[in-house]
Short mmCIF file of all heavy atoms in Angstrom, two decimals:
data_model
loop_
_atom_site.label_atom_id
_atom_site.label_comp_id
_atom_site.label_asym_id
_atom_site.label_seq_id
_atom_site.Cartn_x
_atom_site.Cartn_y
_atom_site.Cartn_z
N GLN L 87 -78.02 -12.78 -16.84
CA GLN L 87 -77.08 -13.76 -16.11
C GLN L 87 -76.82 -13.54 -14.65
O GLN L 87 -77.02 -12.51 -14.08
CB GLN L 87 -75.74 -13.36 -16.84
CG GLN L 87 -75.06 -12.11 -16.57
CD GLN L 87 -73.55 -12.03 -17.15
OE1 GLN L 87 -72.64 -12.21 -16.47
NE2 GLN L 87 -73.46 -11.65 -18.43
N THR L 88 -76.42 -14.51 -14.04
CA THR L 88 -76.20 -14.62 -12.64
C THR L 88 -74.74 -14.60 -12.34
O THR L 88 -73.97 -15.57 -12.48
CB THR L 88 -76.85 -15.92 -11.92
OG1 THR L 88 -78.18 -15.87 -12.20
CG2 THR L 88 -76.50 -15.88 -10.36
N SER L 89 -74.27 -13.40 -12.12
CA SER L 89 -72.87 -13.24 -11.94
C SER L 89 -72.53 -12.07 -11.00
O SER L 89 -73.36 -11.18 -10.73
CB SER L 89 -72.04 -12.91 -13.31
OG SER L 89 -72.47 -11.71 -13.79
N LEU L 90 -71.35 -12.04 -10.45
CA LEU L 90 -70.97 -10.96 -9.43
C LEU L 90 -70.91 -9.64 -10.18
O LEU L 90 -71.44 -8.66 -9.58
CB LEU L 90 -69.59 -11.33 -8.80
CG LEU L 90 -69.30 -10.69 -7.43
CD1 LEU L 90 -70.38 -11.03 -6.37
CD2 LEU L 90 -67.97 -11.18 -6.93
N PRO L 91 -70.31 -9.49 -11.42
CA PRO L 91 -70.34 -8.31 -12.08
C PRO L 91 -71.63 -7.76 -12.41
O PRO L 91 -71.87 -6.53 -12.28
CB PRO L 91 -69.50 -8.50 -13.33
CG PRO L 91 -68.65 -9.65 -13.08
CD PRO L 91 -69.43 -10.56 -12.06
N HIS L 92 -72.63 -8.57 -12.72
CA HIS L 92 -73.97 -8.15 -12.91
C HIS L 92 -74.60 -7.69 -11.61
O HIS L 92 -75.31 -6.48 -11.66
CB HIS L 92 -74.81 -9.32 -13.48
CG HIS L 92 -76.23 -8.91 -13.81
ND1 HIS L 92 -77.33 -9.75 -13.91
CD2 HIS L 92 -76.76 -7.59 -14.27
CE1 HIS L 92 -78.38 -9.20 -14.28
NE2 HIS L 92 -78.14 -7.90 -14.57
N ALA L 93 -74.47 -8.39 -10.52
CA ALA L 93 -74.91 -7.87 -9.23
C ALA L 93 -74.34 -6.54 -8.95
O ALA L 93 -75.17 -5.67 -8.42
CB ALA L 93 -74.63 -8.92 -8.19
N TRP L 94 -73.04 -6.35 -9.16
CA TRP L 94 -72.33 -5.13 -8.81
C TRP L 94 -72.85 -3.95 -9.72
O TRP L 94 -73.18 -2.88 -9.24
CB TRP L 94 -70.96 -5.27 -9.10
CG TRP L 94 -70.06 -4.03 -8.77
CD1 TRP L 94 -69.51 -3.22 -9.60
CD2 TRP L 94 -69.92 -3.45 -7.38
NE1 TRP L 94 -68.83 -2.18 -9.00
CE2 TRP L 94 -69.17 -2.23 -7.66
CE3 TRP L 94 -70.27 -3.79 -6.12
CZ2 TRP L 94 -68.65 -1.39 -6.64
CZ3 TRP L 94 -69.88 -2.93 -5.03
CH2 TRP L 94 -69.13 -1.85 -5.34
N ALA L 95 -73.22 -4.29 -11.03
CA ALA L 95 -73.71 -3.35 -11.96
C ALA L 95 -75.18 -2.91 -11.42
O ALA L 95 -75.45 -1.76 -11.53
CB ALA L 95 -73.82 -3.86 -13.30
N LEU L 96 -75.90 -3.82 -11.03
CA LEU L 96 -77.24 -3.44 -10.50
C LEU L 96 -77.17 -2.48 -9.37
O LEU L 96 -78.00 -1.49 -9.16
CB LEU L 96 -78.07 -4.73 -10.17
CG LEU L 96 -78.62 -5.50 -11.34
CD1 LEU L 96 -78.96 -6.92 -10.89
CD2 LEU L 96 -79.77 -4.75 -11.96
N LEU L 97 -76.36 -2.94 -8.27
CA LEU L 97 -76.08 -2.06 -7.21
C LEU L 97 -75.62 -0.59 -7.50
O LEU L 97 -76.22 0.34 -7.14
CB LEU L 97 -75.03 -2.64 -6.32
CG LEU L 97 -74.73 -1.76 -5.00
CD1 LEU L 97 -75.77 -1.55 -4.08
CD2 LEU L 97 -73.46 -2.29 -4.32
N ARG L 98 -74.63 -0.51 -8.29
CA ARG L 98 -74.05 0.72 -8.69
C ARG L 98 -75.12 1.67 -9.46
O ARG L 98 -75.18 2.87 -9.31
CB ARG L 98 -72.74 0.58 -9.47
CG ARG L 98 -71.63 -0.11 -8.75
CD ARG L 98 -71.23 0.89 -7.47
NE ARG L 98 -70.55 2.09 -7.99
CZ ARG L 98 -71.16 3.29 -7.78
NH1 ARG L 98 -72.21 3.46 -7.13
NH2 ARG L 98 -70.44 4.28 -8.35
N SER L 99 -75.87 1.04 -10.38
CA SER L 99 -76.95 1.61 -11.16
C SER L 99 -77.90 2.13 -10.12
O SER L 99 -78.42 3.32 -10.26
CB SER L 99 -77.58 0.78 -12.22
OG SER L 99 -76.63 0.34 -13.11
N ALA L 100 -78.41 1.27 -9.16
CA ALA L 100 -79.41 1.72 -8.27
C ALA L 100 -78.87 2.79 -7.32
O ALA L 100 -79.74 3.85 -7.09
CB ALA L 100 -79.79 0.47 -7.25
N GLU L 101 -77.70 2.87 -6.91
CA GLU L 101 -77.11 3.97 -6.17
C GLU L 101 -77.00 5.31 -6.93
O GLU L 101 -77.25 6.32 -6.42
CB GLU L 101 -75.78 3.57 -5.60
CG GLU L 101 -75.82 2.51 -4.52
CD GLU L 101 -74.47 2.22 -3.93
OE1 GLU L 101 -73.40 2.26 -4.67
OE2 GLU L 101 -74.42 1.70 -2.82
N TYR L 102 -76.70 5.12 -8.24
CA TYR L 102 -76.40 6.27 -9.07
C TYR L 102 -77.82 7.02 -9.39
O TYR L 102 -77.99 8.25 -9.41
CB TYR L 102 -75.74 5.95 -10.31
CG TYR L 102 -75.29 7.19 -11.11
CD1 TYR L 102 -74.34 8.01 -10.56
CD2 TYR L 102 -76.04 7.50 -12.24
CE1 TYR L 102 -73.95 9.21 -11.26
CE2 TYR L 102 -75.51 8.68 -12.90
CZ TYR L 102 -74.41 9.52 -12.48
OH TYR L 102 -74.16 10.69 -13.17
N VAL L 103 -78.87 6.10 -9.82
CA VAL L 103 -79.98 6.80 -10.17
C VAL L 103 -81.24 6.69 -9.09
O VAL L 103 -82.36 7.11 -9.42
CB VAL L 103 -80.57 6.12 -11.55
CG1 VAL L 103 -79.58 6.44 -12.62
CG2 VAL L 103 -80.88 4.67 -11.46
N ASP L 104 -80.83 6.20 -7.96
CA ASP L 104 -81.85 6.07 -6.82
C ASP L 104 -83.03 5.19 -7.38
O ASP L 104 -84.14 5.74 -7.23
CB ASP L 104 -82.27 7.50 -6.44
CG ASP L 104 -81.24 8.10 -5.49
OD1 ASP L 104 -80.32 7.42 -5.09
OD2 ASP L 104 -81.52 9.36 -5.25
N PHE L 105 -82.78 3.94 -7.92
CA PHE L 105 -83.82 3.22 -8.32
C PHE L 105 -83.98 1.89 -7.36
O PHE L 105 -83.05 0.96 -7.43
CB PHE L 105 -83.59 2.72 -9.69
CG PHE L 105 -84.74 2.16 -10.55
CD1 PHE L 105 -86.01 2.51 -10.16
CD2 PHE L 105 -84.56 1.15 -11.36
CE1 PHE L 105 -87.05 1.93 -10.86
CE2 PHE L 105 -85.53 0.53 -12.08
CZ PHE L 105 -86.85 0.94 -11.77
N LYS L 106 -85.07 1.83 -6.67
CA LYS L 106 -85.27 0.82 -5.64
C LYS L 106 -85.32 -0.53 -6.34
O LYS L 106 -84.92 -1.54 -5.75
CB LYS L 106 -86.49 1.07 -4.88
CG LYS L 106 -86.54 0.39 -3.63
CD LYS L 106 -87.80 0.90 -2.72
CE LYS L 106 -87.85 0.44 -1.34
NZ LYS L 106 -89.05 0.84 -0.59
N ASP L 107 -85.97 -0.65 -7.55
CA ASP L 107 -86.09 -1.96 -8.18
C ASP L 107 -84.69 -2.56 -8.56
O ASP L 107 -84.45 -3.85 -8.43
CB ASP L 107 -86.81 -1.84 -9.46
CG ASP L 107 -88.40 -1.57 -9.26
OD1 ASP L 107 -88.80 -1.64 -8.01
OD2 ASP L 107 -89.16 -1.39 -10.22
N TYR L 108 -83.72 -1.73 -8.90
CA TYR L 108 -82.37 -2.22 -9.21
C TYR L 108 -81.77 -2.80 -7.90
O TYR L 108 -81.08 -3.81 -7.98
CB TYR L 108 -81.49 -1.17 -9.70
CG TYR L 108 -81.64 -1.03 -11.28
CD1 TYR L 108 -81.14 0.26 -11.84
CD2 TYR L 108 -82.41 -1.75 -12.10
CE1 TYR L 108 -81.34 0.56 -13.27
CE2 TYR L 108 -82.60 -1.51 -13.43
CZ TYR L 108 -82.12 -0.40 -13.90
OH TYR L 108 -82.26 -0.12 -15.32
N ALA L 109 -82.07 -2.10 -6.77
CA ALA L 109 -81.50 -2.57 -5.44
C ALA L 109 -82.06 -4.00 -5.19
O ALA L 109 -81.28 -4.85 -4.72
CB ALA L 109 -81.85 -1.43 -4.39
N ALA L 110 -83.37 -4.10 -5.38
CA ALA L 110 -84.01 -5.46 -5.15
C ALA L 110 -83.40 -6.52 -6.13
O ALA L 110 -83.13 -7.68 -5.60
CB ALA L 110 -85.39 -5.35 -5.27
N GLN L 111 -83.18 -6.14 -7.32
CA GLN L 111 -82.56 -7.06 -8.31
C GLN L 111 -81.03 -7.40 -7.87
O GLN L 111 -80.68 -8.57 -8.10
CB GLN L 111 -82.65 -6.59 -9.64
CG GLN L 111 -84.02 -6.48 -10.26
CD GLN L 111 -84.10 -5.75 -11.63
OE1 GLN L 111 -83.23 -6.00 -12.41
NE2 GLN L 111 -85.04 -4.85 -11.90
N ALA L 112 -80.36 -6.39 -7.35
CA ALA L 112 -79.06 -6.78 -6.94
C ALA L 112 -78.97 -7.70 -5.77
O ALA L 112 -78.20 -8.66 -5.77
CB ALA L 112 -78.30 -5.42 -6.55
N ILE L 113 -79.91 -7.59 -4.78
CA ILE L 113 -79.94 -8.55 -3.85
C ILE L 113 -80.33 -9.85 -4.30
O ILE L 113 -79.72 -11.01 -3.86
CB ILE L 113 -81.00 -8.15 -2.75
CG1 ILE L 113 -80.56 -6.73 -2.04
CG2 ILE L 113 -81.21 -9.15 -1.71
CD1 ILE L 113 -81.62 -6.07 -1.26
N ASP L 114 -81.28 -9.94 -5.09
CA ASP L 114 -81.75 -11.37 -5.73
C ASP L 114 -80.56 -11.95 -6.39
O ASP L 114 -80.38 -13.21 -6.34
CB ASP L 114 -82.90 -11.08 -6.61
CG ASP L 114 -83.52 -12.40 -7.21
OD1 ASP L 114 -83.92 -13.20 -6.37
OD2 ASP L 114 -83.49 -12.56 -8.39
N THR L 115 -79.84 -11.18 -7.43
CA THR L 115 -78.70 -11.75 -8.06
C THR L 115 -77.69 -12.16 -7.16
O THR L 115 -77.12 -13.28 -7.29
CB THR L 115 -78.20 -10.79 -9.07
OG1 THR L 115 -79.35 -10.35 -9.92
CG2 THR L 115 -77.18 -11.32 -9.87
N ALA L 116 -77.31 -11.44 -6.12
CA ALA L 116 -76.22 -11.71 -5.24
C ALA L 116 -76.61 -13.01 -4.42
O ALA L 116 -75.80 -13.86 -4.13
CB ALA L 116 -75.93 -10.62 -4.35
N ASP L 117 -77.85 -13.19 -4.06
CA ASP L 117 -78.31 -14.38 -3.33
C ASP L 117 -78.12 -15.74 -4.16
O ASP L 117 -78.06 -16.73 -3.47
CB ASP L 117 -79.88 -14.23 -3.02
CG ASP L 117 -80.05 -13.50 -1.55
OD1 ASP L 117 -79.15 -13.49 -0.89
OD2 ASP L 117 -81.05 -12.92 -1.56
N LYS L 118 -78.20 -15.57 -5.45
CA LYS L 118 -78.05 -16.78 -6.30
C LYS L 118 -76.51 -17.23 -6.56
O LYS L 118 -76.34 -18.18 -7.09
CB LYS L 118 -78.64 -16.58 -7.60
CG LYS L 118 -80.19 -16.31 -7.54
CD LYS L 118 -80.82 -15.89 -8.85
CE LYS L 118 -82.28 -15.68 -8.70
NZ LYS L 118 -82.86 -15.23 -10.08
N ILE L 119 -75.64 -16.34 -5.97
CA ILE L 119 -74.20 -16.56 -6.19
C ILE L 119 -73.74 -17.41 -5.05
O ILE L 119 -73.60 -16.83 -3.91
CB ILE L 119 -73.40 -15.32 -6.36
CG1 ILE L 119 -73.92 -14.53 -7.66
CG2 ILE L 119 -71.90 -15.55 -6.62
CD1 ILE L 119 -73.36 -13.13 -7.85
N ASP L 120 -73.26 -18.55 -5.24
CA ASP L 120 -72.89 -19.29 -4.01
C ASP L 120 -71.40 -19.68 -4.29
O ASP L 120 -71.05 -20.68 -4.86
CB ASP L 120 -73.70 -20.71 -4.06
CG ASP L 120 -73.32 -21.66 -2.90
OD1 ASP L 120 -72.65 -21.07 -2.00
OD2 ASP L 120 -73.59 -22.79 -2.80
N SER L 121 -70.57 -18.86 -3.80
CA SER L 121 -69.03 -19.02 -3.97
C SER L 121 -68.39 -18.47 -2.67
O SER L 121 -68.62 -17.17 -2.31
CB SER L 121 -68.58 -18.33 -5.18
OG SER L 121 -67.26 -18.27 -5.19
N ALA L 122 -67.66 -19.32 -2.07
CA ALA L 122 -66.83 -18.77 -0.89
C ALA L 122 -65.93 -17.71 -1.21
O ALA L 122 -65.66 -16.67 -0.43
CB ALA L 122 -66.12 -20.01 -0.26
N GLU L 123 -65.33 -17.70 -2.51
CA GLU L 123 -64.48 -16.73 -2.96
C GLU L 123 -65.05 -15.27 -3.03
O GLU L 123 -64.41 -14.25 -2.89
CB GLU L 123 -63.71 -17.09 -4.29
CG GLU L 123 -62.79 -18.25 -4.27
CD GLU L 123 -63.66 -19.61 -4.03
OE1 GLU L 123 -64.70 -19.72 -4.40
OE2 GLU L 123 -62.87 -20.57 -3.64
#
Side-chain angles (χ1 to χ4, degrees):
Q87 69 172 259
T88 300
S89 67
L90 204 56
H92 185 204
W94 180 251
L96 286 163
L97 170 68
R98 295 296 293 114
S99 299
E101 291 181 330
Y102 189 72
V103 299
D104 284 347
F105 192 36
K106 202 171 181 179
D107 286 355
Y108 281 167
Q111 291 174 42
I113 295 170
D114 183 60
T115 302
D117 273 335
K118 295 175 182 176
I119 299 170
D120 183 17
S121 170
E123 291 76 18

